[in-house]
Amino acid sequence: VQLQASGGGLVQAGGSLRLSCAASGNIVSDNAMGWYRQGPGQDRELVAAITSGGRTNVVSSVKGRFTISRDNAKNTMYLQMTSLKPEDTAVYFCKYWTTAMPPQYISWGQGTQVTVSS
Protein backbone atom coordinates (compact mmCIF):
# COMPACT_ATOMS: atom_id res chain seq x y z
CA VAL A 1 0.00 0.00 0.00
CA GLN A 2 1.30 3.44 -0.89
CA LEU A 3 0.35 6.52 1.11
CA GLN A 4 0.48 10.12 -0.07
CA ALA A 5 0.12 12.78 2.61
CA SER A 6 -0.64 16.41 1.82
CA GLY A 7 -2.04 19.58 3.31
CA GLY A 8 0.71 20.76 5.59
CA GLY A 9 1.90 24.33 5.71
CA LEU A 10 2.58 27.40 7.77
CA VAL A 11 -0.23 28.80 9.87
CA GLN A 12 -0.56 31.24 12.73
CA ALA A 13 -1.53 30.08 16.19
CA GLY A 14 -5.27 29.65 16.41
CA GLY A 15 -5.52 28.77 12.74
CA SER A 16 -6.63 25.61 11.01
CA LEU A 17 -5.25 23.10 8.54
CA ARG A 18 -6.63 19.94 6.96
CA LEU A 19 -4.30 17.08 6.21
CA SER A 20 -5.13 14.35 3.72
CA CYS A 21 -3.64 10.90 3.24
CA ALA A 22 -4.54 9.03 0.06
CA ALA A 23 -3.94 5.30 0.02
CA SER A 24 -3.47 3.16 -3.06
CA GLY A 25 -2.57 -0.41 -3.80
CA ASN A 26 -3.77 -3.63 -2.20
CA ILE A 27 -6.03 -2.21 0.52
CA VAL A 28 -7.77 -4.87 2.56
CA SER A 29 -11.13 -4.41 4.26
CA ASP A 30 -9.84 -4.90 7.83
CA ASN A 31 -7.48 -2.02 8.33
CA ALA A 32 -6.76 1.08 10.32
CA MET A 33 -5.07 4.34 9.48
CA GLY A 34 -3.52 6.93 11.69
CA TRP A 35 -1.69 10.19 11.95
CA TYR A 36 1.59 10.42 13.80
CA ARG A 37 3.80 13.43 14.30
CA GLN A 38 7.43 14.05 15.08
CA GLY A 39 8.55 17.39 16.42
CA PRO A 40 12.14 18.63 16.37
CA GLY A 41 14.26 16.41 18.56
CA GLN A 42 11.27 14.37 19.61
CA ASP A 43 10.09 10.82 19.07
CA ARG A 44 7.30 10.07 16.65
CA GLU A 45 3.98 9.98 18.50
CA LEU A 46 0.44 8.95 17.72
CA VAL A 47 -2.01 11.79 17.15
CA ALA A 48 -5.15 9.98 16.06
CA ALA A 49 -6.26 6.75 14.45
CA ILE A 50 -9.36 5.42 12.75
CA THR A 51 -10.42 1.94 11.74
CA SER A 52 -12.09 1.00 8.49
CA GLY A 53 -15.27 0.66 10.54
CA GLY A 54 -14.99 4.22 11.76
CA ARG A 55 -13.82 3.76 15.34
CA THR A 56 -11.51 6.56 16.36
CA ASN A 57 -8.83 7.20 18.92
CA VAL A 58 -7.58 10.73 19.50
CA VAL A 59 -4.84 11.52 22.00
CA SER A 60 -5.72 13.83 24.85
CA SER A 61 -3.32 16.60 23.82
CA VAL A 62 -5.32 17.30 20.65
CA LYS A 63 -8.77 16.07 21.64
CA GLY A 64 -11.38 18.71 20.98
CA ARG A 65 -9.09 20.45 18.46
CA PHE A 66 -8.28 17.72 15.93
CA THR A 67 -10.79 15.50 14.15
CA ILE A 68 -9.87 12.37 12.25
CA SER A 69 -12.09 11.00 9.51
CA ARG A 70 -11.88 8.84 6.43
CA ASP A 71 -13.68 8.25 3.16
CA ASN A 72 -13.39 4.55 2.43
CA ALA A 73 -14.73 5.00 -1.10
CA LYS A 74 -11.80 7.31 -1.83
CA ASN A 75 -9.32 5.41 0.36
CA THR A 76 -8.46 8.73 1.96
CA MET A 77 -8.00 9.76 5.56
CA TYR A 78 -8.21 13.30 6.87
CA LEU A 79 -7.07 15.23 9.91
CA GLN A 80 -8.90 18.48 10.51
CA MET A 81 -6.78 20.56 12.84
CA THR A 82 -8.20 23.64 14.52
CA SER A 83 -7.01 26.00 17.26
CA LEU A 84 -3.47 25.14 16.32
CA LYS A 85 -0.71 25.83 18.81
CA PRO A 86 3.03 26.31 18.29
CA GLU A 87 3.58 22.98 20.05
CA ASP A 88 1.67 21.28 17.22
CA THR A 89 4.60 22.09 14.95
CA ALA A 90 5.92 18.80 13.60
CA VAL A 91 6.21 16.59 10.58
CA TYR A 92 2.96 14.68 10.30
CA PHE A 93 3.04 11.13 8.95
CA CYS A 94 0.19 8.86 7.96
CA LYS A 95 0.25 5.14 8.61
CA TYR A 96 -1.78 2.19 7.35
CA TRP A 97 -1.92 -1.21 8.99
CA THR A 98 -3.96 -4.35 8.72
CA THR A 99 -6.04 -5.43 11.70
CA ALA A 100 -7.07 -8.99 10.86
CA MET A 101 -5.08 -12.13 11.56
CA PRO A 102 -1.28 -11.83 11.64
CA PRO A 103 1.11 -11.21 10.06
CA GLN A 104 0.39 -7.52 10.26
CA TYR A 105 1.22 -5.33 7.30
CA ILE A 106 2.30 -1.74 7.92
CA SER A 107 2.94 1.10 5.53
CA TRP A 108 4.06 4.67 6.19
CA GLY A 109 3.60 7.71 4.02
CA GLN A 110 6.06 10.52 3.61
CA GLY A 111 5.68 13.33 6.09
CA THR A 112 4.05 16.68 5.61
CA GLN A 113 5.37 19.64 7.58
CA VAL A 114 3.05 21.62 9.81
CA THR A 115 4.47 24.81 11.26
CA VAL A 116 2.47 26.92 13.68
CA SER A 117 3.83 30.39 14.38
CA SER A 118 3.11 32.25 17.60
Side-chain angles (χ1 to χ4, degrees):
V1 173
Q2 295 76 45
L3 303 175
Q4 181 69 45
S6 61
L10 173 64
V11 64
Q12 289 188 332
S16 300
L17 280 174
R18 188 195 197 203
L19 305 183
S20 299
C21 177
S24 61
N26 186 24
I27 300 165
V28 300
S29 57
D30 294 326
N31 70 75
M33 298 180 73
W35 289 100
Y36 288 70
R37 67 185 180 185
Q38 187 167 16
Q42 298 179 352
D43 293 331
R44 191 173 298 187
E45 63 176 3
L46 173 69
V47 176
I50 185 168
T51 68
S52 51
R55 287 181 294 139
T56 62
N57 176 34
V58 180
V59 298
S60 59
S61 59
V62 305
K63 191 168 290 186
R65 300 189 297 120
F66 292 10
T67 302
I68 189 169
S69 62
R70 63 188 288 172
D71 184 334
N72 288 335
K74 296 182 178 179
N75 293 321
T76 301
M77 173 182 63
Y78 306 97
L79 186 69
Q80 179 67 49
M81 304 185 293
T82 63
S83 301
L84 282 160
K85 305 175 181 180
E87 51 262 44
D88 295 318
T89 294
V91 179
Y92 285 68
F93 299 87
C94 57
K95 177 184 176 183
Y96 163 96
W97 63 97
T98 57
T99 57
M101 296 294 290
Q104 186 180 60
Y105 173 85
I106 297 172
S107 179
W108 287 93
Q110 92 292 358
T112 183
Q113 177 71 48
V114 172
T115 303
V116 184
S117 63
S118 57

